Amino acid sequence: LFIRHGIITSPQNFQIIDISGKVVLTAKVNLNSTETEIDVRHLQNGFYVIHSGVKKNTERMSFIKNN
């Protein structure tokens, strides 16, 4: 999974959350880059939400994993 984002200069994480609300994966955002790759091969097929950001500056995205 490739996520494109603006340049990040301070440490942040992406959290991947399954449909039950459980955090199933946490990945570090690539600093000083506009793209982060997250290996989701081990995740079960299904709907996931990606949460990123810090405090008031948060973003949510979603994806469906289907082999």
Side-chain angles (χ1 to χ4, degrees), residues 35-51:
E35 189 172 81
T36 297
E37 180 179 7
I38 301 174
D39 184 1
V40 295
R41 290 179 287 181
H42 70 283
L43 296 179
Q44 303 243 344
N45 288 346
F47 179 83
Y48 295 89
V49 173
I50 303 169
H51 181 260

Side-chain angles (χ1 to χ4, degrees), residues 1-5 14 16 34-38 50 61:
L1 174 68
F2 287 93
I3 301 173
R4 292 188 182 200
H5 49 76
F14 287 115
I16 298 183
T34 59
E35 189 172 81
T36 297
E37 180 179 7
I38 301 174
I50 303 169
M61 303 164 270

Side-chain angles (χ1 to χ4, degrees), residues 17-66:
I17 302 163
D18 69 12
I19 197 155
S20 71
K22 179 181 173 188
V23 175
V24 294
L25 181 64
T26 300
K28 292 184 179 188
V29 174
N30 287 340
L31 295 179
N32 300 310
S33 177
T34 59
E35 189 172 81
T36 297
E37 180 179 7
I38 301 174
D39 184 1
V40 295
R41 290 179 287 181
H42 70 283
L43 296 179
Q44 303 243 344
N45 288 346
F47 179 83
Y48 295 89
V49 173
I50 303 169
H51 181 260
S52 67
V54 179
K55 297 183 182 178
K56 294 182 182 180
N57 297 323
T58 61
E59 291 186 43
R60 287 197 167 97
M61 303 164 270
S62 60
F63 72 98
I64 297 172
K65 180 171 185 284
N66 188 10

